[in-house]
mmCIF file of all heavy atoms in Angstrom:
data_model
loop_
_atom_site.group_PDB
_atom_site.id
_atom_site.type_symbol
_atom_site.label_atom_id
_atom_site.label_comp_id
_atom_site.label_asym_id
_atom_site.label_seq_id
_atom_site.Cartn_x
_atom_site.Cartn_y
_atom_site.Cartn_z
ATOM 1 N N MET A 1 -18.916 15.001 9.905
ATOM 2 C CA MET A 1 -19.171 15.369 8.510
ATOM 3 C C MET A 1 -18.031 16.188 7.925
ATOM 4 O O MET A 1 -17.706 16.088 6.765
ATOM 5 C CB MET A 1 -20.461 16.194 8.403
ATOM 6 C CG MET A 1 -21.695 15.407 8.751
ATOM 7 S SD MET A 1 -22.349 14.536 7.369
ATOM 8 C CE MET A 1 -23.846 15.367 6.942
ATOM 9 N N SER A 2 -17.393 17.006 8.746
ATOM 10 C CA SER A 2 -16.333 17.871 8.223
ATOM 11 C C SER A 2 -14.984 17.558 8.853
ATOM 12 O O SER A 2 -14.167 18.428 9.074
ATOM 13 C CB SER A 2 -16.684 19.334 8.446
ATOM 14 O OG SER A 2 -16.906 19.560 9.824
ATOM 15 N N HIS A 3 -14.799 16.299 9.168
ATOM 16 C CA HIS A 3 -13.504 15.902 9.723
ATOM 17 C C HIS A 3 -12.414 15.986 8.667
ATOM 18 O O HIS A 3 -12.649 15.708 7.503
ATOM 19 C CB HIS A 3 -13.584 14.481 10.265
ATOM 20 C CG HIS A 3 -14.451 14.381 11.482
ATOM 21 N ND1 HIS A 3 -14.179 15.052 12.647
ATOM 22 C CD2 HIS A 3 -15.581 13.708 11.693
ATOM 23 C CE1 HIS A 3 -15.140 14.777 13.519
ATOM 24 N NE2 HIS A 3 -15.999 13.974 12.972
ATOM 25 N N ALA A 4 -11.230 16.307 9.099
ATOM 26 C CA ALA A 4 -10.126 16.496 8.160
ATOM 27 C C ALA A 4 -9.613 15.168 7.621
ATOM 28 O O ALA A 4 -9.271 15.060 6.457
ATOM 29 C CB ALA A 4 -9.006 17.250 8.834
ATOM 30 N N SER A 5 -9.574 14.158 8.485
ATOM 31 C CA SER A 5 -9.025 12.883 8.055
ATOM 32 C C SER A 5 -10.027 12.110 7.210
ATOM 33 O O SER A 5 -11.165 11.918 7.621
ATOM 34 C CB SER A 5 -8.601 12.049 9.262
ATOM 35 O OG SER A 5 -9.721 11.733 10.047
ATOM 36 N N GLU A 6 -9.615 11.712 6.045
ATOM 37 C CA GLU A 6 -10.492 10.975 5.153
ATOM 38 C C GLU A 6 -10.368 9.481 5.383
ATOM 39 O O GLU A 6 -9.281 8.948 5.445
ATOM 40 C CB GLU A 6 -10.161 11.306 3.699
ATOM 41 C CG GLU A 6 -10.755 12.614 3.262
ATOM 42 C CD GLU A 6 -10.765 12.729 1.746
ATOM 43 O OE1 GLU A 6 -10.802 11.702 1.065
ATOM 44 O OE2 GLU A 6 -10.716 13.868 1.259
ATOM 45 N N LYS A 7 -11.497 8.846 5.490
ATOM 46 C CA LYS A 7 -11.505 7.396 5.625
ATOM 47 C C LYS A 7 -11.724 6.761 4.249
ATOM 48 O O LYS A 7 -12.363 7.344 3.383
ATOM 49 C CB LYS A 7 -12.639 6.969 6.564
ATOM 50 C CG LYS A 7 -12.509 7.522 7.970
ATOM 51 C CD LYS A 7 -11.322 6.909 8.708
ATOM 52 C CE LYS A 7 -11.489 7.022 10.224
ATOM 53 N NZ LYS A 7 -11.557 8.404 10.686
ATOM 54 N N VAL A 8 -11.172 5.594 4.109
ATOM 55 C CA VAL A 8 -11.366 4.854 2.867
ATOM 56 C C VAL A 8 -11.929 3.479 3.196
ATOM 57 O O VAL A 8 -11.931 3.058 4.352
ATOM 58 C CB VAL A 8 -10.047 4.705 2.091
ATOM 59 C CG1 VAL A 8 -9.510 6.076 1.685
ATOM 60 C CG2 VAL A 8 -9.017 3.944 2.894
ATOM 61 N N THR A 9 -12.396 2.796 2.177
ATOM 62 C CA THR A 9 -12.975 1.472 2.394
ATOM 63 C C THR A 9 -12.010 0.381 1.945
ATOM 64 O O THR A 9 -11.474 0.424 0.846
ATOM 65 C CB THR A 9 -14.292 1.345 1.612
ATOM 66 O OG1 THR A 9 -15.180 2.375 2.031
ATOM 67 C CG2 THR A 9 -14.933 -0.004 1.864
ATOM 68 N N ASP A 10 -11.810 -0.564 2.817
ATOM 69 C CA ASP A 10 -11.045 -1.757 2.483
ATOM 70 C C ASP A 10 -11.819 -2.520 1.405
ATOM 71 O O ASP A 10 -12.938 -2.955 1.649
ATOM 72 C CB ASP A 10 -10.916 -2.595 3.766
ATOM 73 C CG ASP A 10 -10.117 -3.866 3.577
ATOM 74 O OD1 ASP A 10 -10.160 -4.437 2.473
ATOM 75 O OD2 ASP A 10 -9.480 -4.300 4.545
ATOM 76 N N PRO A 11 -11.246 -2.650 0.193
ATOM 77 C CA PRO A 11 -11.999 -3.283 -0.908
ATOM 78 C C PRO A 11 -12.237 -4.775 -0.702
ATOM 79 O O PRO A 11 -13.065 -5.367 -1.375
ATOM 80 C CB PRO A 11 -11.114 -3.034 -2.132
ATOM 81 C CG PRO A 11 -9.738 -2.831 -1.592
ATOM 82 C CD PRO A 11 -9.921 -2.212 -0.233
ATOM 83 N N ILE A 12 -11.522 -5.364 0.212
ATOM 84 C CA ILE A 12 -11.673 -6.799 0.443
ATOM 85 C C ILE A 12 -12.842 -7.100 1.367
ATOM 86 O O ILE A 12 -13.721 -7.881 1.041
ATOM 87 C CB ILE A 12 -10.383 -7.395 1.050
ATOM 88 C CG1 ILE A 12 -9.179 -7.087 0.164
ATOM 89 C CG2 ILE A 12 -10.536 -8.892 1.277
ATOM 90 C CD1 ILE A 12 -9.294 -7.638 -1.243
ATOM 91 N N CYS A 13 -12.868 -6.474 2.520
ATOM 92 C CA CYS A 13 -13.870 -6.821 3.526
ATOM 93 C C CYS A 13 -14.913 -5.726 3.728
ATOM 94 O O CYS A 13 -15.892 -5.926 4.418
ATOM 95 C CB CYS A 13 -13.179 -7.149 4.848
ATOM 96 S SG CYS A 13 -12.363 -5.737 5.586
ATOM 97 N N GLY A 14 -14.681 -4.540 3.124
ATOM 98 C CA GLY A 14 -15.666 -3.482 3.227
ATOM 99 C C GLY A 14 -15.541 -2.640 4.482
ATOM 100 O O GLY A 14 -16.323 -1.730 4.719
ATOM 101 N N MET A 15 -14.543 -2.912 5.289
ATOM 102 C CA MET A 15 -14.313 -2.173 6.526
ATOM 103 C C MET A 15 -13.820 -0.758 6.221
ATOM 104 O O MET A 15 -13.130 -0.526 5.238
ATOM 105 C CB MET A 15 -13.240 -2.912 7.324
ATOM 106 C CG MET A 15 -13.417 -2.837 8.814
ATOM 107 S SD MET A 15 -12.147 -3.876 9.596
ATOM 108 C CE MET A 15 -11.507 -2.718 10.768
ATOM 109 N N THR A 16 -14.209 0.193 7.061
ATOM 110 C CA THR A 16 -13.699 1.550 6.927
ATOM 111 C C THR A 16 -12.311 1.633 7.549
ATOM 112 O O THR A 16 -12.109 1.215 8.686
ATOM 113 C CB THR A 16 -14.636 2.553 7.610
ATOM 114 O OG1 THR A 16 -15.925 2.447 7.017
ATOM 115 C CG2 THR A 16 -14.120 3.965 7.445
ATOM 116 N N VAL A 17 -11.363 2.170 6.769
ATOM 117 C CA VAL A 17 -9.972 2.205 7.201
ATOM 118 C C VAL A 17 -9.452 3.640 7.131
ATOM 119 O O VAL A 17 -9.733 4.375 6.186
ATOM 120 C CB VAL A 17 -9.111 1.298 6.291
ATOM 121 C CG1 VAL A 17 -7.644 1.368 6.673
ATOM 122 C CG2 VAL A 17 -9.598 -0.134 6.343
ATOM 123 N N ASP A 18 -8.710 4.030 8.158
ATOM 124 C CA ASP A 18 -8.039 5.329 8.131
ATOM 125 C C ASP A 18 -6.651 5.122 7.526
ATOM 126 O O ASP A 18 -5.849 4.359 8.053
ATOM 127 C CB ASP A 18 -7.915 5.842 9.559
ATOM 128 C CG ASP A 18 -7.308 7.243 9.611
ATOM 129 O OD1 ASP A 18 -6.678 7.654 8.622
ATOM 130 O OD2 ASP A 18 -7.491 7.902 10.632
ATOM 131 N N PRO A 19 -6.366 5.779 6.389
ATOM 132 C CA PRO A 19 -5.061 5.590 5.730
ATOM 133 C C PRO A 19 -3.872 5.817 6.656
ATOM 134 O O PRO A 19 -2.832 5.177 6.511
ATOM 135 C CB PRO A 19 -5.088 6.638 4.612
ATOM 136 C CG PRO A 19 -6.526 6.828 4.310
ATOM 137 C CD PRO A 19 -7.242 6.669 5.638
ATOM 138 N N ALA A 20 -4.036 6.692 7.627
ATOM 139 C CA ALA A 20 -2.937 7.000 8.542
ATOM 140 C C ALA A 20 -2.592 5.827 9.446
ATOM 141 O O ALA A 20 -1.469 5.701 9.914
ATOM 142 C CB ALA A 20 -3.294 8.218 9.376
ATOM 143 N N THR A 21 -3.549 4.973 9.676
ATOM 144 C CA THR A 21 -3.334 3.857 10.601
ATOM 145 C C THR A 21 -3.578 2.497 9.950
ATOM 146 O O THR A 21 -3.638 1.485 10.638
ATOM 147 C CB THR A 21 -4.252 3.995 11.834
ATOM 148 O OG1 THR A 21 -5.609 4.035 11.402
ATOM 149 C CG2 THR A 21 -3.936 5.256 12.599
ATOM 150 N N ALA A 22 -3.741 2.490 8.622
ATOM 151 C CA ALA A 22 -4.018 1.235 7.922
ATOM 152 C C ALA A 22 -2.893 0.231 8.143
ATOM 153 O O ALA A 22 -1.719 0.589 8.183
ATOM 154 C CB ALA A 22 -4.204 1.499 6.434
ATOM 155 N N ALA A 23 -3.265 -1.038 8.258
ATOM 156 C CA ALA A 23 -2.287 -2.095 8.495
ATOM 157 C C ALA A 23 -1.446 -2.358 7.259
ATOM 158 O O ALA A 23 -0.303 -2.795 7.352
ATOM 159 C CB ALA A 23 -3.000 -3.371 8.921
ATOM 160 N N ALA A 24 -2.025 -2.067 6.095
ATOM 161 C CA ALA A 24 -1.317 -2.346 4.849
ATOM 162 C C ALA A 24 -1.907 -1.498 3.730
ATOM 163 O O ALA A 24 -3.036 -1.007 3.829
ATOM 164 C CB ALA A 24 -1.435 -3.818 4.501
ATOM 165 N N SER A 25 -1.116 -1.311 2.679
ATOM 166 C CA SER A 25 -1.619 -0.603 1.514
ATOM 167 C C SER A 25 -0.998 -1.207 0.264
ATOM 168 O O SER A 25 0.016 -1.898 0.323
ATOM 169 C CB SER A 25 -1.290 0.888 1.600
ATOM 170 O OG SER A 25 0.101 1.094 1.520
ATOM 171 N N ALA A 26 -1.636 -0.955 -0.877
ATOM 172 C CA ALA A 26 -1.120 -1.473 -2.142
ATOM 173 C C ALA A 26 -1.503 -0.511 -3.253
ATOM 174 O O ALA A 26 -2.582 0.093 -3.224
ATOM 175 C CB ALA A 26 -1.695 -2.857 -2.414
ATOM 176 N N GLU A 27 -0.610 -0.345 -4.208
ATOM 177 C CA GLU A 27 -0.915 0.495 -5.366
ATOM 178 C C GLU A 27 -1.330 -0.370 -6.533
ATOM 179 O O GLU A 27 -0.749 -1.416 -6.796
ATOM 180 C CB GLU A 27 0.315 1.325 -5.746
ATOM 181 C CG GLU A 27 0.394 2.618 -4.969
ATOM 182 C CD GLU A 27 1.436 3.571 -5.564
ATOM 183 O OE1 GLU A 27 1.509 3.669 -6.791
ATOM 184 O OE2 GLU A 27 2.183 4.172 -4.778
ATOM 185 N N TYR A 28 -2.353 0.103 -7.221
ATOM 186 C CA TYR A 28 -2.802 -0.614 -8.411
ATOM 187 C C TYR A 28 -3.368 0.388 -9.401
ATOM 188 O O TYR A 28 -4.281 1.144 -9.077
ATOM 189 C CB TYR A 28 -3.857 -1.654 -8.031
ATOM 190 C CG TYR A 28 -4.372 -2.432 -9.222
ATOM 191 C CD1 TYR A 28 -3.548 -3.354 -9.878
ATOM 192 C CD2 TYR A 28 -5.658 -2.234 -9.705
ATOM 193 C CE1 TYR A 28 -4.005 -4.048 -10.982
ATOM 194 C CE2 TYR A 28 -6.127 -2.942 -10.806
ATOM 195 C CZ TYR A 28 -5.294 -3.843 -11.447
ATOM 196 O OH TYR A 28 -5.745 -4.534 -12.537
ATOM 197 N N GLU A 29 -2.792 0.432 -10.586
ATOM 198 C CA GLU A 29 -3.231 1.324 -11.659
ATOM 199 C C GLU A 29 -3.369 2.769 -11.190
ATOM 200 O O GLU A 29 -4.357 3.440 -11.462
ATOM 201 C CB GLU A 29 -4.543 0.810 -12.252
ATOM 202 C CG GLU A 29 -4.342 -0.512 -12.995
ATOM 203 C CD GLU A 29 -5.531 -0.871 -13.887
ATOM 204 O OE1 GLU A 29 -6.639 -0.411 -13.593
ATOM 205 O OE2 GLU A 29 -5.316 -1.608 -14.862
ATOM 206 N N GLY A 30 -2.386 3.228 -10.439
ATOM 207 C CA GLY A 30 -2.349 4.627 -10.038
ATOM 208 C C GLY A 30 -3.136 4.964 -8.790
ATOM 209 O O GLY A 30 -3.082 6.087 -8.309
ATOM 210 N N HIS A 31 -3.860 4.000 -8.251
ATOM 211 C CA HIS A 31 -4.622 4.220 -7.024
ATOM 212 C C HIS A 31 -3.952 3.493 -5.865
ATOM 213 O O HIS A 31 -3.396 2.416 -6.040
ATOM 214 C CB HIS A 31 -6.052 3.695 -7.165
ATOM 215 C CG HIS A 31 -6.878 4.472 -8.150
ATOM 216 N ND1 HIS A 31 -7.580 5.597 -7.805
ATOM 217 C CD2 HIS A 31 -7.076 4.280 -9.470
ATOM 218 C CE1 HIS A 31 -8.187 6.072 -8.884
ATOM 219 N NE2 HIS A 31 -7.905 5.296 -9.912
ATOM 220 N N THR A 32 -4.034 4.095 -4.709
ATOM 221 C CA THR A 32 -3.547 3.415 -3.517
ATOM 222 C C THR A 32 -4.738 2.900 -2.722
ATOM 223 O O THR A 32 -5.659 3.655 -2.420
ATOM 224 C CB THR A 32 -2.711 4.363 -2.649
ATOM 225 O OG1 THR A 32 -1.652 4.901 -3.433
ATOM 226 C CG2 THR A 32 -2.103 3.616 -1.462
ATOM 227 N N TYR A 33 -4.693 1.639 -2.408
ATOM 228 C CA TYR A 33 -5.755 1.000 -1.640
ATOM 229 C C TYR A 33 -5.229 0.686 -0.249
ATOM 230 O O TYR A 33 -4.068 0.331 -0.084
ATOM 231 C CB TYR A 33 -6.217 -0.281 -2.337
ATOM 232 C CG TYR A 33 -6.795 -0.023 -3.705
ATOM 233 C CD1 TYR A 33 -5.973 0.043 -4.825
ATOM 234 C CD2 TYR A 33 -8.166 0.188 -3.865
ATOM 235 C CE1 TYR A 33 -6.509 0.301 -6.089
ATOM 236 C CE2 TYR A 33 -8.705 0.439 -5.113
ATOM 237 C CZ TYR A 33 -7.866 0.492 -6.227
ATOM 238 O OH TYR A 33 -8.400 0.750 -7.463
ATOM 239 N N TYR A 34 -6.103 0.828 0.722
ATOM 240 C CA TYR A 34 -5.707 0.584 2.116
ATOM 241 C C TYR A 34 -6.512 -0.572 2.697
ATOM 242 O O TYR A 34 -7.671 -0.773 2.339
ATOM 243 C CB TYR A 34 -5.921 1.848 2.952
ATOM 244 C CG TYR A 34 -5.043 2.977 2.500
ATOM 245 C CD1 TYR A 34 -5.493 3.898 1.559
ATOM 246 C CD2 TYR A 34 -3.746 3.120 3.003
ATOM 247 C CE1 TYR A 34 -4.680 4.928 1.118
ATOM 248 C CE2 TYR A 34 -2.933 4.149 2.577
ATOM 249 C CZ TYR A 34 -3.405 5.048 1.631
ATOM 250 O OH TYR A 34 -2.604 6.062 1.205
ATOM 251 N N PHE A 35 -5.866 -1.284 3.614
ATOM 252 C CA PHE A 35 -6.464 -2.504 4.147
ATOM 253 C C PHE A 35 -6.407 -2.532 5.667
ATOM 254 O O PHE A 35 -5.492 -1.987 6.280
ATOM 255 C CB PHE A 35 -5.737 -3.722 3.572
ATOM 256 C CG PHE A 35 -5.660 -3.681 2.066
ATOM 257 C CD1 PHE A 35 -4.551 -3.148 1.438
ATOM 258 C CD2 PHE A 35 -6.724 -4.115 1.299
ATOM 259 C CE1 PHE A 35 -4.491 -3.062 0.044
ATOM 260 C CE2 PHE A 35 -6.669 -4.027 -0.094
ATOM 261 C CZ PHE A 35 -5.550 -3.509 -0.714
ATOM 262 N N CYS A 36 -7.378 -3.252 6.253
ATOM 263 C CA CYS A 36 -7.446 -3.349 7.703
ATOM 264 C C CYS A 36 -6.377 -4.296 8.231
ATOM 265 O O CYS A 36 -6.024 -4.255 9.400
ATOM 266 C CB CYS A 36 -8.837 -3.819 8.123
ATOM 267 S SG CYS A 36 -9.209 -5.518 7.634
ATOM 268 N N SER A 37 -5.886 -5.186 7.349
ATOM 269 C CA SER A 37 -4.922 -6.192 7.791
ATOM 270 C C SER A 37 -4.047 -6.654 6.630
ATOM 271 O O SER A 37 -4.392 -6.452 5.460
ATOM 272 C CB SER A 37 -5.660 -7.402 8.361
ATOM 273 O OG SER A 37 -6.375 -8.052 7.327
ATOM 274 N N GLN A 38 -2.919 -7.282 6.969
ATOM 275 C CA GLN A 38 -2.057 -7.852 5.939
ATOM 276 C C GLN A 38 -2.810 -8.925 5.160
ATOM 277 O O GLN A 38 -2.579 -9.116 3.963
ATOM 278 C CB GLN A 38 -0.811 -8.465 6.582
ATOM 279 C CG GLN A 38 0.162 -7.443 7.147
ATOM 280 C CD GLN A 38 0.879 -6.654 6.054
ATOM 281 O OE1 GLN A 38 0.935 -7.088 4.917
ATOM 282 N NE2 GLN A 38 1.415 -5.492 6.405
ATOM 283 N N SER A 39 -3.696 -9.610 5.829
ATOM 284 C CA SER A 39 -4.460 -10.675 5.179
ATOM 285 C C SER A 39 -5.288 -10.123 4.024
ATOM 286 O O SER A 39 -5.323 -10.680 2.934
ATOM 287 C CB SER A 39 -5.363 -11.341 6.216
ATOM 288 O OG SER A 39 -6.252 -12.232 5.586
ATOM 289 N N CYS A 40 -5.950 -8.991 4.254
ATOM 290 C CA CYS A 40 -6.748 -8.378 3.193
ATOM 291 C C CYS A 40 -5.841 -7.880 2.070
ATOM 292 O O CYS A 40 -6.171 -7.987 0.896
ATOM 293 C CB CYS A 40 -7.581 -7.221 3.761
ATOM 294 S SG CYS A 40 -9.054 -7.784 4.654
ATOM 295 N N ALA A 41 -4.685 -7.338 2.419
ATOM 296 C CA ALA A 41 -3.741 -6.849 1.409
ATOM 297 C C ALA A 41 -3.268 -7.992 0.519
ATOM 298 O O ALA A 41 -3.156 -7.840 -0.694
ATOM 299 C CB ALA A 41 -2.556 -6.176 2.086
ATOM 300 N N LEU A 42 -3.012 -9.134 1.128
ATOM 301 C CA LEU A 42 -2.564 -10.287 0.354
ATOM 302 C C LEU A 42 -3.653 -10.772 -0.593
ATOM 303 O O LEU A 42 -3.383 -11.141 -1.736
ATOM 304 C CB LEU A 42 -2.137 -11.412 1.298
ATOM 305 C CG LEU A 42 -0.808 -11.185 2.019
ATOM 306 C CD1 LEU A 42 -0.570 -12.283 3.055
ATOM 307 C CD2 LEU A 42 0.350 -11.141 1.035
ATOM 308 N N SER A 43 -4.896 -10.735 -0.142
ATOM 309 C CA SER A 43 -6.003 -11.135 -1.000
ATOM 310 C C SER A 43 -6.106 -10.193 -2.199
ATOM 311 O O SER A 43 -6.334 -10.622 -3.329
ATOM 312 C CB SER A 43 -7.319 -11.104 -0.223
ATOM 313 O OG SER A 43 -7.308 -12.065 0.798
ATOM 314 N N PHE A 44 -5.915 -8.896 -1.944
ATOM 315 C CA PHE A 44 -5.969 -7.914 -3.017
ATOM 316 C C PHE A 44 -4.849 -8.139 -4.012
ATOM 317 O O PHE A 44 -5.053 -8.139 -5.233
ATOM 318 C CB PHE A 44 -5.874 -6.505 -2.422
ATOM 319 C CG PHE A 44 -5.931 -5.417 -3.460
ATOM 320 C CD1 PHE A 44 -7.153 -4.942 -3.919
ATOM 321 C CD2 PHE A 44 -4.768 -4.853 -3.969
ATOM 322 C CE1 PHE A 44 -7.214 -3.945 -4.886
ATOM 323 C CE2 PHE A 44 -4.816 -3.848 -4.926
ATOM 324 C CZ PHE A 44 -6.042 -3.393 -5.387
ATOM 325 N N LYS A 45 -3.647 -8.330 -3.505
ATOM 326 C CA LYS A 45 -2.480 -8.493 -4.372
ATOM 327 C C LYS A 45 -2.569 -9.772 -5.206
ATOM 328 O O LYS A 45 -1.981 -9.871 -6.274
ATOM 329 C CB LYS A 45 -1.203 -8.490 -3.528
ATOM 330 C CG LYS A 45 -0.877 -7.092 -3.008
ATOM 331 C CD LYS A 45 0.239 -7.122 -1.976
ATOM 332 C CE LYS A 45 0.466 -5.720 -1.416
ATOM 333 N NZ LYS A 45 1.438 -5.725 -0.294
ATOM 334 N N ALA A 46 -3.307 -10.757 -4.705
ATOM 335 C CA ALA A 46 -3.471 -12.012 -5.433
ATOM 336 C C ALA A 46 -4.309 -11.815 -6.694
ATOM 337 O O ALA A 46 -4.124 -12.497 -7.686
ATOM 338 C CB ALA A 46 -4.102 -13.060 -4.535
ATOM 339 N N ASP A 47 -5.250 -10.860 -6.626
ATOM 340 C CA ASP A 47 -6.130 -10.631 -7.770
ATOM 341 C C ASP A 47 -6.678 -9.198 -7.738
ATOM 342 O O ASP A 47 -7.861 -8.972 -7.512
ATOM 343 C CB ASP A 47 -7.287 -11.639 -7.741
ATOM 344 C CG ASP A 47 -8.047 -11.665 -9.070
ATOM 345 O OD1 ASP A 47 -7.711 -10.869 -9.959
ATOM 346 O OD2 ASP A 47 -8.967 -12.479 -9.199
ATOM 347 N N PRO A 48 -5.805 -8.210 -7.934
ATOM 348 C CA PRO A 48 -6.204 -6.808 -7.781
ATOM 349 C C PRO A 48 -7.327 -6.382 -8.722
ATOM 350 O O PRO A 48 -8.195 -5.610 -8.328
ATOM 351 C CB PRO A 48 -4.911 -6.028 -8.066
ATOM 352 C CG PRO A 48 -4.001 -6.987 -8.760
ATOM 353 C CD PRO A 48 -4.388 -8.353 -8.273
ATOM 354 N N ALA A 49 -7.325 -6.889 -9.934
ATOM 355 C CA ALA A 49 -8.352 -6.485 -10.905
ATOM 356 C C ALA A 49 -9.751 -6.820 -10.415
ATOM 357 O O ALA A 49 -10.698 -6.070 -10.642
ATOM 358 C CB ALA A 49 -8.087 -7.150 -12.238
ATOM 359 N N LYS A 50 -9.862 -7.923 -9.740
ATOM 360 C CA LYS A 50 -11.154 -8.385 -9.246
ATOM 361 C C LYS A 50 -11.747 -7.398 -8.244
ATOM 362 O O LYS A 50 -12.929 -7.076 -8.278
ATOM 363 C CB LYS A 50 -10.977 -9.752 -8.590
ATOM 364 C CG LYS A 50 -12.218 -10.311 -7.925
ATOM 365 C CD LYS A 50 -11.902 -11.670 -7.317
ATOM 366 C CE LYS A 50 -13.047 -12.193 -6.471
ATOM 367 N NZ LYS A 50 -12.694 -13.478 -5.842
ATOM 368 N N TYR A 51 -10.880 -6.889 -7.347
ATOM 369 C CA TYR A 51 -11.365 -6.020 -6.280
ATOM 370 C C TYR A 51 -11.397 -4.557 -6.692
ATOM 371 O O TYR A 51 -12.302 -3.824 -6.326
ATOM 372 C CB TYR A 51 -10.489 -6.204 -5.044
ATOM 373 C CG TYR A 51 -10.530 -7.622 -4.512
ATOM 374 C CD1 TYR A 51 -9.457 -8.487 -4.681
ATOM 375 C CD2 TYR A 51 -11.670 -8.093 -3.865
ATOM 376 C CE1 TYR A 51 -9.512 -9.793 -4.230
ATOM 377 C CE2 TYR A 51 -11.723 -9.394 -3.403
ATOM 378 C CZ TYR A 51 -10.644 -10.248 -3.584
ATOM 379 O OH TYR A 51 -10.700 -11.534 -3.134
ATOM 380 N N ALA A 52 -10.427 -4.126 -7.484
ATOM 381 C CA ALA A 52 -10.366 -2.727 -7.902
ATOM 382 C C ALA A 52 -11.542 -2.383 -8.810
ATOM 383 O O ALA A 52 -11.985 -1.248 -8.868
ATOM 384 C CB ALA A 52 -9.041 -2.448 -8.607
ATOM 385 N N ALA A 53 -12.058 -3.366 -9.516
ATOM 386 C CA ALA A 53 -13.168 -3.133 -10.441
ATOM 387 C C ALA A 53 -14.389 -2.614 -9.721
ATOM 388 O O ALA A 53 -15.192 -1.872 -10.284
ATOM 389 C CB ALA A 53 -13.510 -4.419 -11.174
ATOM 390 N N GLY A 54 -14.550 -2.972 -8.453
ATOM 391 C CA GLY A 54 -15.716 -2.565 -7.713
ATOM 392 C C GLY A 54 -15.610 -1.160 -7.122
ATOM 393 O O GLY A 54 -16.528 -0.685 -6.485
ATOM 394 N N ALA A 55 -14.495 -0.488 -7.364
ATOM 395 C CA ALA A 55 -14.262 0.813 -6.744
ATOM 396 C C ALA A 55 -15.193 1.891 -7.286
ATOM 397 O O ALA A 55 -15.474 2.864 -6.628
ATOM 398 C CB ALA A 55 -12.819 1.229 -6.937
ATOM 399 N N GLY A 56 -15.636 1.747 -8.516
ATOM 400 C CA GLY A 56 -16.601 2.681 -9.057
ATOM 401 C C GLY A 56 -16.018 3.803 -9.891
ATOM 402 O O GLY A 56 -16.710 4.482 -10.621
ATOM 403 N N ASN A 57 -14.736 4.020 -9.799
ATOM 404 C CA ASN A 57 -14.086 5.063 -10.614
ATOM 405 C C ASN A 57 -13.219 4.459 -11.696
ATOM 406 O O ASN A 57 -12.328 5.020 -12.166
ATOM 407 C CB ASN A 57 -13.255 6.008 -9.729
ATOM 408 C CG ASN A 57 -14.160 6.872 -8.868
ATOM 409 O OD1 ASN A 57 -15.197 7.335 -9.319
ATOM 410 N ND2 ASN A 57 -13.772 7.063 -7.626
HETATM 411 ZN ZN1 LIG B 1 -10.064 -5.931 5.564
#
């Protein structure tokens, strides 16, 4: 609950990803998104608006 390292969610597959060890990342509209694999990053980059919209912020 009080761990220092923050985990984020891969917007493509929903997997929990640690930014420090993420396989890939991409910036979109000022946010950095992290991915479990290059494959997920490529899917995001193909249509970032589609996936970023679900982020909630
Ligand atoms: Zn993924």
Side-chain angles (χ1 to χ4, degrees):
M1 294 273 251
S2 57
H3 291 299
S5 64
E6 280 197 27
K7 299 292 202 298
V8 297
T9 302
D10 181 328
I12 304 300
C13 66
M15 214 175 130
T16 301
V17 177
D18 184 341
T21 58
S25 66
E27 274 193 41
Y28 180 70
E29 292 194 335
H31 293 273
T32 304
Y33 298 86
Y34 296 92
F35 308 94
C36 67
S37 67
Q38 289 290 340
S39 171
C40 282
L42 287 173
S43 295
F44 180 85
K45 287 170 184 173
D47 193 357
K50 175 180 172 183
Y51 299 106
N57 290 320

